[in-house]
Amino acid sequence: MVLVACSGGGSDALTKPQVVRQANAICVKANRAIAAMYRPDPDDTAATAAALAKVTSRQRTALRKLQDLVPPAEDASDYGRWLAQIDLALDRADVSSAAIAAGDVVAADEANRRGEQIRTDADRFAARYGMTRCARAE
């Protein structure tokens, strides 16, 4: 699905500067919405799991918008891999949320650790490409 949405080429393809500008705008909007979300007491596992699920849902909304962008043909493969990495990191966040809700700290920590590895790789690409608002600073 990701690669189809980002096949590049065709008249719908954007220029790299257009992709960068639009992606950064999507990420800024998502980051602001997430920053405004309720932060539960970390000792309240149910509230923490619910809050994490809301954050992940908002991030998935942003991911869908990023998937709608069609990069230049020469960037389509790398852009598609970036989107796949984001999706995988969000899958790990879903696992973490479920583990937190179940009280399984070990599983939550492992999901978070793996998600962070994936996110770090994704952030490197985003930063190199110019989508600095879509990457956390290292």
Side-chain angles (χ1 to χ4, degrees), residues 60 63 83-93 114-115 118:
R60 284 197 187 283
L63 175 59
L83 295 175
Q85 287 178 310
I86 294 169
D87 193 37
L88 287 172
L90 293 175
D91 287 348
R92 295 294 89 208
R114 182 64 186 126
I118 297 166

Side-chain angles (χ1 to χ4, degrees), residues 41-50 97 100-101 103:
D41 177 348
D43 293 330
D44 183 344
T45 56
T48 299
S97 180
I100 290 168

Side-chain angles (χ1 to χ4, degrees), residues 9-14 69-71:
S11 61
D12 293 338
L14 301 169
L69 301 180
V70 181

Side-chain angles (χ1 to χ4, degrees), residues 2-138:
V2 169
L3 294 179
V4 171
C6 299
S7 60
S11 61
D12 293 338
L14 301 169
T15 65
K16 181 178 178 178
Q18 289 171 322
V19 171
V20 168
R21 187 179 69 252
Q22 291 181 33
N24 278 329
I26 290 166
C27 293
V28 164
K29 186 175 179 181
N31 291 337
R32 284 183 182 151
I34 290 166
M37 289 182 176
Y38 164 74
R39 300 283 189 252
D41 177 348
D43 293 330
D44 183 344
T45 56
T48 299
L52 179 55
K54 282 184 179 183
V55 167
T56 303
S57 175
R58 182 61 184 95
Q59 290 171 324
R60 284 197 187 283
T61 298
L63 175 59
R64 285 189 295 278
K65 291 176 182 179
L66 291 168
Q67 288 169 330
D68 288 342
L69 301 180
V70 181
E74 63 270 14
D75 298 335
S77 180
D78 289 337
Y79 189 84
R81 277 194 295 277
W82 175 61
L83 295 175
Q85 287 178 310
I86 294 169
D87 193 37
L88 287 172
L90 293 175
D91 287 348
R92 295 294 89 208
D94 289 337
V95 170
S96 177
S97 180
I100 290 168
D104 189 344
V105 176
V106 173
D109 284 347
E110 176 57 23
N112 289 336
R113 185 190 64 74
R114 182 64 186 126
E116 184 65 16
Q117 290 172 333
I118 297 166
R119 186 206 55 81
T120 298
D121 288 343
D123 284 352
R124 283 187 191 116
F125 170 78
R128 277 193 316 269
Y129 198 76
M131 299 176 294
T132 56
R133 308 298 263 169
C134 297
R136 285 192 264 176
E138 291 189 38

